[in-house]
Amino acid sequence: MINFKIYTTANELPEFWDVLPNNDIFLKRSFLNGLEQSSPKNIFSYYLCVFKEDKPVGIAVIQRVEMYLDDIFRNTSSNSFKQMAKAIVSKIVRGNALVVGNLMHTGQHGLFFIKEEINYQDYLNIVFKALKTLKKEIKQNYGKKVRIIAFKDYFEADPIHENIDLFKDNNLYKVQVQPNMLLSIPEEWSTSEDYIAVLSKKYKRRYKTARKKNNAIVKKELNVDAIKANETILFHLYKNVSDNARVNSFILSENHFFSLKKALKGSFKVFGYFLNEELVGFYTLILNKRTLETYFLGYDKALQQKHQMYLNMLYDMVCFAIENNLKSIVYARTAMEIKSSVGAKANTMHIYMKHTNNFIANTVLKFIVKYLNPVRKWTERNPFK
């Protein structure tokens, strides 16, 4: 017999949650605790345990997201047509959504099961049952209807696509979203000089120019006390970048980086860029076994171009990965062209989703998803010889 239990806080999670053989830090209790203590005000997490004959065989993270106009469209426009389009879109997507995975980070960070104990179809069927249960509980407890259900961020080779008939049976459709930018680190790269050596002349010059423009910047890793002391300015710098996004569905809480540092300790890194002892930029990293996950960053927009801070952050991430013997860097989506200029490659990703209102055709929702998260045209760069 296969059944499930839903937990509403990470503190309730049983010991076996971390004993299950998954290697994803985003599914570990330490990360989930840290995230819960600093989650955006419109995101709430649920934790699903799947049992077979009372033996735990799988887990899943499901987020309830409250989406409203001010959250979805951070920047307002005076263009009346755009305002009308945004109003129409917001009427369809605003409200509560259930997302299987972590809306705050690119990648599949919501599902894990033991293949030797349960097959994928049985596992997904339980996830769908849990979603139906949550949908009812949200209506009963909060008086809210769940408008959208989504499973997020699967590479083309992910075996989840072998279950596409199951998604169709549950009225979810598959849609391509912006790619995940990944950089593989060859074993022979042991220092940053090895990386520089394989750059073509054009990109070697670009690397040297960017580093020269960044000479006045002092980079420091921030410990937990420094993160706390700089909490407000870190949030302000993050908002500078976040508010520039065409579409966003959440705003981090001000204590987010401090909370994650306390929870993840050495697996969470915050590096500050200082100019004349003033914090003017930062980036964050999460060590996920031998994968380097780039996380949120921020900078002073008035200084960004002069010191090429964003490009230097990308280079610093490459150097960190090499020096710490990591295998790959997840640069995530957005800014694909500049990320490809440091060596990252685009990997196509898909999501599955549906609108729970039968009067709204999935073809309409599909159009809206592409409007909110378009697959943009961009020129791929190859910086290597």
Side-chain angles (χ1 to χ4, degrees), residues 268-320:
F268 182 65
K269 303 286 185 180
V270 180
F271 291 95
Y273 276 16
F274 292 83
L275 182 64
N276 300 324
E277 300 186 356
E278 179 185 354
L279 183 61
V280 295
F282 78 97
Y283 62 91
T284 57
L285 305 171
I286 294 177
L287 279 64
N288 197 2
K289 296 296 181 180
R290 292 192 67 193
T291 297
L292 184 65
E293 307 268 359
T294 66
Y295 204 52
F296 294 97
L297 56 78
Y299 47 73
D300 184 328
K301 288 190 287 187
L303 299 171
Q304 137 63 14
Q305 189 170 0
K306 179 180 179 182
H307 298 284
Q308 290 195 5
M309 283 195 284
Y310 183 67
L311 181 57
N312 274 290
M313 288 176 185
L314 298 180
Y315 285 136
D316 283 340
M317 294 166 187
V318 176
C319 295
F320 181 93

Side-chain angles (χ1 to χ4, degrees), residues 200-254:
S200 64
K201 287 184 179 179
K202 173 184 175 180
Y203 287 95
K204 197 173 289 186
R205 283 196 302 270
R206 189 179 190 192
Y207 179 91
K208 291 179 179 178
T209 299
R211 291 315 207 187
K212 187 174 182 180
K213 287 187 175 183
N214 212 41
N215 275 343
I217 299 289
V218 176
K219 187 182 76 172
K220 301 177 187 175
E221 182 174 0
L222 307 184
N223 61 22
V224 67
D225 294 330
I227 294 169
K228 183 63 178 176
N230 289 281
E231 198 169 72
T232 301
I233 185 63
L234 287 169
F235 179 74
H236 173 72
L237 294 171
Y238 147 75
K239 281 278 268 118
N240 280 346
V241 175
S242 175
D243 285 351
N244 200 46
R246 179 171 176 266
V247 173
N248 218 322
S249 53
F250 61 86
I251 301 172
L252 294 180
S253 65
E254 191 165 309

Side-chain angles (χ1 to χ4, degrees), residues 53-282:
E53 306 298 341
D54 296 326
K55 178 182 179 181
V57 295
I59 56 176
V61 173
I62 302 168
Q63 293 180 336
R64 177 169 69 90
V65 186
E66 295 176 341
M67 293 191 292
Y68 299 101
L69 184 62
D70 290 343
D71 294 316
I72 298 169
F73 300 108
R74 198 70 55 78
N75 286 328
T76 57
S77 170
S78 58
N79 183 297
S80 58
F81 177 77
K82 287 184 178 179
Q83 287 284 52
M84 183 174 67
K86 288 177 180 179
I88 293 170
V89 168
S90 68
K91 282 183 180 179
I92 295 174
V93 303
R94 71 182 177 187
N96 279 239
L98 285 176
V99 178
V100 179
N102 182 353
L103 189 67
M104 300 164 61
H105 189 65
T106 302
Q108 194 288 90
H109 300 295
L111 301 173
F112 174 78
F113 66 98
I114 302 173
K115 289 179 281 188
E116 294 78 13
E117 300 287 348
I118 185 173
N119 65 51
Y120 216 149
Q121 189 170 15
D122 288 343
Y123 168 72
L124 286 175
N125 272 320
I126 290 294
V127 176
F128 278 114
K129 286 182 181 179
L131 289 169
K132 289 177 182 176
T133 298
L134 284 173
K135 186 180 169 185
K136 291 178 183 176
E137 289 182 357
I138 290 166
K139 179 63 176 175
Q140 290 172 355
N141 297 337
Y142 305 101
K144 303 288 186 179
K145 286 185 178 181
V146 172
R147 296 284 197 98
I148 292 172
I149 291 175
F151 289 65
K152 71 176 289 285
D153 290 352
Y154 305 98
F155 291 120
E156 285 193 322
D158 196 300
I160 198 169
H161 303 304
E162 296 170 9
N163 298 278
I164 193 165
D165 288 342
L166 181 60
F167 285 102
K168 288 179 179 178
D169 290 343
N170 285 276
N171 299 317
L172 276 78
Y173 69 90
K174 178 182 177 184
V175 62
Q176 182 178 330
V177 291
Q178 289 186 33
N180 195 348
M181 301 298 292
L182 306 180
L183 174 59
S184 296
I185 307 296
E187 292 290 340
E188 58 267 25
W189 291 359
S190 57
T191 70
S192 57
E193 293 300 319
D194 295 322
Y195 168 73
I196 298 168
V198 297
L199 295 174
S200 64
K201 287 184 179 179
K202 173 184 175 180
Y203 287 95
K204 197 173 289 186
R205 283 196 302 270
R206 189 179 190 192
Y207 179 91
K208 291 179 179 178
T209 299
R211 291 315 207 187
K212 187 174 182 180
K213 287 187 175 183
N214 212 41
N215 275 343
I217 299 289
V218 176
K219 187 182 76 172
K220 301 177 187 175
E221 182 174 0
L222 307 184
N223 61 22
V224 67
D225 294 330
I227 294 169
K228 183 63 178 176
N230 289 281
E231 198 169 72
T232 301
I233 185 63
L234 287 169
F235 179 74
H236 173 72
L237 294 171
Y238 147 75
K239 281 278 268 118
N240 280 346
V241 175
S242 175
D243 285 351
N244 200 46
R246 179 171 176 266
V247 173
N248 218 322
S249 53
F250 61 86
I251 301 172
L252 294 180
S253 65
E254 191 165 309
N255 72 326
H256 185 75
F257 304 116
F258 174 67
S259 180
L260 281 194
K261 185 62 177 177
K262 281 203 307 179
L264 298 182
K265 300 180 173 57
S267 294
F268 182 65
K269 303 286 185 180
V270 180
F271 291 95
Y273 276 16
F274 292 83
L275 182 64
N276 300 324
E277 300 186 356
E278 179 185 354
L279 183 61
V280 295
F282 78 97

